Amino acid sequence: MSTLRTLAFMALVCCGLTATAQGVKENRIVASPEFSKYTISRHIYGHFSEHLGHCIYGGYFVDENSTIPNTRRIRTDIVDALKKIHIPNLRWPGGCFADEYHWNDGIGLRANRPKMVNTHWGGVTEDNSFGTHEFLDLCEMLGTEPYICGNVGSGTVEEMSKWVEYLNFDGVSPMAELRKQNGHEKPWKVQFWGVGNENWGCGGNMTAEFYADQYRRYATYARNYGDAKLMKIAGGANSFDYHWTETLMKNVPLNMMWGVSLHYYTLAGGWDKKGSATTFGENEYFSAMKACLRMDELVTKHSTVMDRYDPEKRVALAVDEWGIWTDVEPGTNPGFLFQQNSLRDALIAASTLNIFNNHSDRVRMANLAQTVNVLQALILTDKEKMLLTPTYHVFDLYQVHQDAALIPLAVNTKDYVFGTEKLPALNASASRDKDGNIHLTIVNIDPANAIDLQVDVPGTQTLKASAQILTSDKFTDHNTFEKPSALKPVAFAGVKKTGESVGLKIPSKSLVVITLAK
């Protein structure tokens, strides 16, 4: 049990709320606003866009003569949709692509930019028309902070050092002059920098010890210029590799890292057969939910390792690749990782974000993979058509948690039982925003059973309750280009507030967001 949950249960007991002859009500959530200590960083709600499939080309970035509405080739409807949910940061150019990307190839006149082969994703030829300037143009349109991942696998210390100088130095230097020649007088002051990606795998197949030494080299020459203090993120562990995290925390001075990354993908099956995104039964549904909820174990154990070296929690855990990974849609390029997005995936996103919120003492950045047309995408496109996936709607509903004060919860829930296995049916997180409004995001993963739930929030006698819900008839339901709004949030009238308590029957396979406002 996490520290926050322990505190919440202690508060529950001290208040006498559990001291009944019958014990705790089977399905009950008790909030403890008085124990609020941490802020849910908005950067937990970050995203990831790699040069992979049709995320960039055919996603954000349209052809030069395209009739799809765009600004400097950046697709307008995608920008508008992402601005609506206030994405706080965007990670680029990879992913595995980052460690074969040479930034100099993506600047200057597009006609003069050398082409390259994307060896990781489909073996396609990239024309480098979307490069540094285009990415930062996109970020400015979105009003989001760029998070750039540097090339450690096939690059050099000098290459990354000069990229930082090109972007951030406001003075006289070769890189600053080159930036000005390419049309950008003032520096962008990019602060989030990843020093390599998955260096245990596609980023160089390194050992933890070798990478820790490489990180120190690269980080040394990635300089701070002016007030653009770099927030450097070390390439962290693959899933359950606690040795990797231990090695970084032990061998890299804490003042050289803003964060350590962690990558984990939810798989309904195994890596060889991940399963369909839209055609699956309860066996695959349960398996995916079980894998999703293991994120809590991962974050807890990696945080425990970090605590041994950093008890003051100065270094963030940045889960900068996460989401469900399924088989590609039939008939599409297997190297493009295009998959549909069902109600199941929305519940996975909501449950994962609840986990991150509840670990906001250590988790201060996360990036869903990926934003457009790849893996658990927020947005799918087909030429001029565009749709918002159920996962997009989760991020829309959850934006109320950005930079809000985490409220610890005690969650007592029945189990979702499948065969001989079981999982907690409910998971939740809560926060108080700057205006004093309280938001609870509650997920019922049980695909068949609604749950009678009582939610107690001390000190809210005068607040009024309202709610929204995201659900559908089947966990395989999804939005299509023919029916792009089949799944979307709607008002939920099934909440009743009495004093400091809210009662509701939370439907099966649903996300309910409760707002307590003045």
Side-chain angles (χ1 to χ4, degrees):
M1 184 180 296
S2 71
T3 302
L4 291 176
R5 286 189 178 180
T6 301
L7 288 172
F9 275 114
M10 288 172 64
L12 186 62
V13 173
C14 289
C15 291
L17 294 175
T18 60
T20 66
Q22 293 78 24
V24 181
K25 186 174 179 178
E26 183 180 23
N27 303 300
R28 189 175 186 182
I29 296 175
V30 177
S32 296
E34 68 272 28
F35 283 102
S36 288
K37 182 178 179 182
Y38 300 105
T39 298
I40 299 172
S41 171
R42 68 185 183 277
H43 290 295
I44 285 173
Y45 292 86
H47 295 279
F48 172 37
S49 292
E50 185 171 6
H51 287 248
L52 197 174
H54 293 302
C55 184
I56 303 294
Y57 302 106
Y60 290 110
F61 206 56
V62 300
D63 292 337
E64 196 163 10
N65 299 315
S66 175
T67 59
I68 298 171
N70 68 87
T71 302
R72 295 181 296 279
R73 293 181 61 180
I74 295 172
R75 188 167 169 155
T76 307
D77 53 2
I78 291 179
V79 170
D80 290 344
L82 296 178
K83 284 177 68 176
K84 180 178 181 292
I85 62 173
H86 298 98
I87 72 169
N89 66 73
L90 186 62
R91 182 172 180 250
W92 174 87
C96 292
F97 181 80
D99 280 292
E100 65 177 354
Y101 181 67
H102 300 283
W103 69 271
N104 259 301
D105 294 341
I107 59 173
L109 293 174
R110 288 177 183 151
N112 296 337
R113 297 181 189 180
K115 294 178 172 59
M116 65 174 290
V117 179
N118 188 337
T119 63
H120 287 290
W121 305 119
V124 296
T125 298
E126 299 257 348
D127 68 2
N128 278 314
S129 57
F130 188 95
T132 296
H133 287 251
E134 290 77 15
F135 170 64
L136 293 169
D137 191 12
L138 168 64
C139 289
E140 288 176 355
M141 289 184 193
L142 292 172
T144 194
E145 291 194 49
Y147 169 15
I148 288 179
C149 188
N151 182 346
V152 171
S154 68
T156 65
V157 172
E158 180 184 17
E159 182 180 14
M160 184 170 174
S161 176
K162 286 184 174 179
W163 202 3
V164 175
E165 180 186 334
Y166 183 88
L167 295 181
N168 289 1
F169 184 57
D170 189 11
V172 178
S173 78
M175 290 301 101
E177 289 304 311
L178 182 59
R179 181 191 69 239
K180 293 173 184 178
Q181 291 171 23
N182 289 330
H184 208 274
E185 180 71 20
K186 288 296 182 180
W188 284 280
K189 299 183 179 180
V190 175
Q191 292 189 278
F192 286 117
W193 285 84
V195 182
N197 167 80
E198 295 189 359
N199 301 95
W200 38 263
C202 63
N205 285 302
M206 303 176 189
T207 64
E209 290 75 14
F210 181 80
Y211 172 72
D213 288 342
Q214 291 301 301
Y215 176 86
R216 291 167 65 139
R217 287 184 65 228
Y218 278 76
T220 296
Y221 290 95
R223 307 288 193 187
N224 295 327
Y225 293 106
D227 58 356
K229 184 178 180 180
L230 300 195
M231 303 167 84
K232 303 168 194 173
I233 299 167
N238 176 20
S239 303
F240 302 96
D241 186 354
Y242 303 110
H243 170 73
W244 190 281
T245 299
E246 180 104 33
T247 301
L248 288 180
M249 297 301 295
K250 181 170 60 177
N251 293 351
V252 178
L254 299 184
N255 62 6
M256 293 186 76
M257 301 184 291
W258 177 83
V260 172
S261 74
L262 170 66
H263 290 182
Y264 177 70
Y265 287 96
T266 293
L267 302 175
W271 282 106
D272 294 335
K273 185 170 176 56
K274 303 176 188 72
S276 168
T278 57
T279 305
F280 54 87
E282 190 173 356
N283 182 53
E284 293 88 351
Y285 174 86
F286 183 91
S287 178
M289 287 298 167
K290 180 180 178 181
C292 159
L293 294 178
R294 292 201 73 184
M295 181 67 83
D296 188 69
E297 172 194 346
L298 274 170
V299 170
T300 298
K301 289 184 176 180
H302 282 286
S303 296
T304 299
V305 172
M306 296 174 75
D307 287 346
R308 289 201 289 269
Y309 299 90
D310 177 29
E312 296 178 350
K313 301 181 188 295
R314 290 179 291 169
V315 178
L317 182 60
V319 191
D320 58 14
E321 287 189 32
W322 68 273
I324 185 169
W325 192 326
T326 71
D327 292 337
V328 301
E329 290 302 296
T332 64
N333 188 324
F336 283 7
L337 305 187
F338 177 79
Q339 64 189 49
Q340 251 292 356
N341 195 288
S342 68
L343 176 62
R344 174 191 67 178
D345 304 336
L347 300 181
I348 285 171
S351 299
T352 303
L353 290 170
N354 282 340
I355 292 168
F356 293 157
N357 289 346
N358 289 324
H359 284 279
S360 56
D361 58 334
R362 181 65 80 175
V363 179
R364 296 195 285 277
M365 174 180 273
N367 301 81
L368 177 72
Q370 291 187 15
T371 321
V372 184
N373 289 331
V374 173
L375 297 174
Q376 191 171 353
L378 301 181
I379 294 169
L380 302 180
T381 65
D382 180 12
K383 301 181 177 65
E384 76 285 353
K385 299 176 184 176
M386 187 196 84
L387 67 79
L388 306 176
T389 69
T391 295
Y392 172 93
H393 295 303
V394 171
F395 276 82
D396 190 8
L397 292 168
Y398 273 61
Q399 65 176 301
V400 295
H401 289 309
Q402 292 189 23
D403 288 336
L406 175 70
I407 296 176
L409 299 178
V411 180
N412 197 71
T413 173
K414 63 178 287 188
D415 290 324
Y416 160 37
V417 179
F418 180 73
T420 59
E421 296 189 272
K422 61 184 179 181
L423 297 168
L426 299 177
N427 64 79
S429 65
S431 67
R432 187 197 301 271
D433 66 23
K434 60 181 177 58
D435 297 320
N437 303 315
I438 290 175
H439 303 278
L440 298 104
T441 47
I442 308 169
V443 179
N444 177 9
I445 67 170
D446 191 317
N449 298 300
I451 294 176
D452 288 312
L453 177 64
Q454 178 179 326
V455 183
D456 300 320
V457 190
T460 59
Q461 297 95 326
T462 62
L463 302 185
K464 295 181 180 179
S466 61
Q468 291 179 281
I469 188 170
L470 180 64
T471 190
S472 192
D473 292 338
K474 296 181 291 185
F475 48 54
T476 54
D477 286 347
H478 55 282
N479 293 333
T480 66
F481 292 109
E482 294 70 34
K483 295 182 178 180
S485 299
L487 275 75
K488 63 180 182 180
V490 296
F492 181 58
V495 296
K496 182 179 180 181
K497 186 166 185 293
T498 305
E500 297 180 332
S501 295
V502 175
L504 69 152
K505 182 184 285 287
I506 182 167
S508 64
K509 55 191 180 309
S510 71
L511 160 65
V512 173
V513 181
I514 300 173
T515 297
L516 301 176
K518 298 177 183 178

